[in-house]
Structures are given as C-alpha cells and as structure tokens.
Amino acid sequence: MHDHHHDPEDGDLVAPSPKIPVPENVAEAIRTLLRWAGDDPGREGLLDTPQRVARAWKEYCAGYAEDPGHHLSRVFEEVGGYDEIVLLKDIPFQSHCEHHMAPITGKASIAYLPRNHVVGISKLARVLHAFARRLQVQERLTAEVADCIWNHLHPQGVAVVIEAQHGCMTGRGVRTPGVGMVTSRMMGVFREDERSRAEVLKLMGY
Ligand SMILES: [Zn+2]
C-alpha cells in the first residue's frame, strides 16, 4: 500500500521512497531501455531495477501532483512594520532537464520585499521543490518560482537566482564538470530600482 507519511508541514524536504505498485508496462519500458543500452535486463543485478527506477521517477516528478501556490496560502498579515528583504539563501535542490531527463543539481536564493503579507520562510523552499520536481529547463524553473511568489504574496519585489549544474552538460559530450549555469528573475522594485537590486544580490552573495 501507498504509505503516505510525507507530511507537508514537517521539516523534511526529501520525500521518503513510496512503495507504490509499478505497472507492468512501465517496468517493461525500463527493461526495453536497458536492452537498448546494451545490457541484459534478465541478469540478477538488474532484476529489481525497473521497479526502483519507476519509483525514483515518481519522486523526481512528485511536483506534478502539487499545487506550488498552495504553500503560500497561509500568510501572516501582521508583520510588525517589517519592511525589509526576506531572503532564503542557497537552498539546495534537484530537478531534471526536459531535454535529456538528466539531473539538474543546484542551489537557489529566493527573496521578496513584503507589502502586507509574509509566509513561513520554509514555504519558499517548498515552492521551489514543487516546481523542481518536474521536468524542467532552468530558465522556466526560475521564472515559475518568481511568478508564483509574485502572484500569491503581492510583494513589492521578488528576486530569484538559481545556480545549477546540468548532468547533460557534465556527463556527455561537453565534459565540463563544475561549470554552473546562473539564471535570475527580478520583479517589482528589484527590477525597477538599481539600488534595491544591488542590495538583494549582495545579500545573496553575488
Ligand atoms: Zn539536458
């Protein structure tokens, strides 16, 4: 049975491996891929691999079952006059590129300048993971996180900077380990006002 003990409110950002049943056609698809790659899916070491791979992909893509904006639905209106930048820095994440289904590994810094509403700080990471656990391109991931915060919190500004390495770049033709790609999205004051943008980037360590 599906043991659904991933409480969205707990502090654990890594979902436990759910022992969901794997349909036979999914397992067979992975066996086909193993054959295509040149191996023998019937050999002992690979016997349980299709089930493991299938379940792993359910986790990598768990974001499809999530509404990212839901994490921002519980807001606190009383901010005690706080009108400074709220920043969650260097949040590690993993995603997969939609072109190769290869891992994207990186860190994100997410900031906003509240207007009336603030959220629990861990919610920013939850929004990131809800979008990262899908097939992605880094540019869209960056934009989706920023837009989600913008649309739900109506802040004065949003800044998202994502730095990531792409398995399809480091593991294939172009062997350039350690080379990262940086994308950013600035909205509101962080887009319009140069000093605000400089301030948030400095806080992020850029
Ligand atoms: Zn790729």
Side-chain angles (χ1 to χ4, degrees):
M1 284 309 292
H2 186 176
D3 184 14
H4 194 86
H5 57 279
H6 177 54
D7 181 357
E9 294 301 323
D10 68 20
D12 181 12
L13 290 174
V14 180
S17 182
K19 286 281 184 218
I20 52 164
V22 174
E24 176 50 30
N25 63 332
V26 175
E28 185 52 30
I30 295 159
R31 278 183 219 112
T32 301
L33 184 62
L34 288 166
R35 264 180 232 111
W36 162 254
D39 214 317
D40 168 18
R43 73 177 172 85
E44 205 189 337
L46 292 179
L47 284 182
D48 294 329
T49 297
Q51 280 73 24
R52 285 193 204 99
V53 171
R55 291 190 181 115
W57 274 99
K58 264 292 183 211
E59 278 187 53
Y60 300 155
C61 291
Y64 289 122
E66 259 182 80
D67 169 13
H70 175 76
H71 297 301
L72 302 176
S73 59
R74 248 191 95 219
V75 296
F76 304 96
E77 308 229 356
E78 187 51 69
V79 292
Y82 188 82
D83 58 354
E84 300 293 332
I85 293 168
V86 177
L87 166 65
L88 193 56
K89 194 174 153 178
D90 296 335
I91 316 157
F93 73 92
Q94 194 183 39
S95 185
H96 289 81
C97 83
E98 68 183 21
H99 302 128
H100 307 90
M101 297 172 78
I104 301 172
T105 311
K107 57 177 187 166
S109 289
I110 303 173
Y112 67 101
L113 186 63
R115 193 182 307 273
N116 297 310
H117 304 122
V118 295
V119 285
I121 191 86
S122 70
K123 304 300 181 188
L124 301 179
R126 295 194 185 286
V127 170
L128 169 71
H129 292 300
F131 285 115
R133 288 174 183 164
R134 300 173 184 203
L135 295 176
Q136 276 290 3
V137 294
Q138 187 176 326
E139 295 88 336
R140 190 177 62 225
L141 174 63
T142 309
E144 283 177 341
V145 171
D147 290 352
C148 185
I149 295 164
W150 181 258
N151 292 331
H152 285 84
L153 297 186
H154 311 292
Q156 300 181 63
V158 178
V160 177
V161 179
I162 294 183
E163 213 177 322
Q165 298 190 3
H166 292 241
C168 54
M169 283 178 66
T170 56
R172 299 189 323 139
V174 210
R175 297 201 178 268
T176 48
V179 172
M181 176 171 156
V182 182
T183 47
S184 69
R185 183 157 175 107
M186 303 283 157
M187 305 177 81
V189 289
F190 298 130
R191 188 182 191 89
E192 289 145 21
D193 180 48
E194 223 170 283
R195 276 177 51 203
S196 302
R197 180 165 60 244
E199 187 189 354
V200 77
L201 286 172
K202 192 178 172 201
L203 285 172
M204 288 175 172
Y206 291 100

